[in-house]
Amino acid sequence: MTVSVDRAMLLAADPAQRRHQLVLHLAERYEAVTHRPAPADPNESIFLESLQATELQVLLESDLGVSVSMVDLAESPSLGDLAQLLDDALTEDRVTAGADLPVVVVDRAGWGEPFGLTDVQQAYWLGRSGLF
């Protein structure tokens, strides 16, 4: 069963119905991200690995136009808690604003040129070398 959510529809619904629709949508997204069934009780604790939480975060921003931080996802241990968090974000009109995001500019002149490693990449590279 696919639960279709629309930001305008959610905002027009009464709070109880909005939260119910959010729980259903979250359950569907949870199952898609984790490949596990969502808990039947929306107050039952859930577990998301870091990459799953990131994927869920991106899906929710795409679906609802609200930004949910990783801290908020980590501190919301159930689908019911996440639904309340999303409901608060929707009603507070915390819309993901494209103007707040950095602009990506393609460097055509530097295409194919080498670039430096990040600190983490360099640490992995040195760690594998056997020098340490």
Side-chain angles (χ1 to χ4, degrees):
M1 174 177 142
T2 302
V3 178
S4 175
V5 293
D6 175 71
R7 182 183 174 87
M9 181 264 316
L10 286 172
L11 290 171
D14 66 86
Q17 182 63 24
R18 181 171 52 242
R19 189 165 187 269
H20 176 71
Q21 288 297 318
L22 287 169
V23 167
L24 293 176
H25 182 68
L26 282 166
E28 183 179 282
R29 289 305 197 189
Y30 175 84
E31 290 175 0
V33 167
T34 64
H35 305 290
R36 295 188 307 260
D41 178 5
N43 296 316
E44 183 179 326
S45 292
I46 59 170
F47 174 76
L48 294 168
E49 296 173 357
S50 62
L51 292 177
Q52 293 170 339
T54 302
E55 186 176 350
L56 182 62
Q57 179 187 36
V58 169
L59 287 172
L60 294 175
E61 287 181 10
S62 172
D63 295 344
L64 302 172
V66 294
S67 181
V68 179
S69 73
M70 291 300 283
V71 172
D72 287 339
L73 282 174
E75 292 177 351
S76 301
S78 72
L79 295 179
D81 291 338
L82 284 173
Q84 186 61 53
L85 179 74
L86 289 173
D87 188 29
D88 292 345
L90 282 168
T91 55
E92 291 174 9
D93 202 28
R94 291 191 318 197
V95 178
T96 304
D100 295 342
L101 299 175
V103 176
V104 177
V105 179
V106 177
D107 179 14
R108 297 207 188 275
W111 190 264
E113 293 295 319
F115 53 91
L117 299 174
T118 66
D119 291 342
V120 172
Q121 290 171 322
Q122 189 167 14
Y124 279 131
W125 178 59
L126 289 173
R128 281 188 269 163
S129 71
L131 295 173
F132 297 96

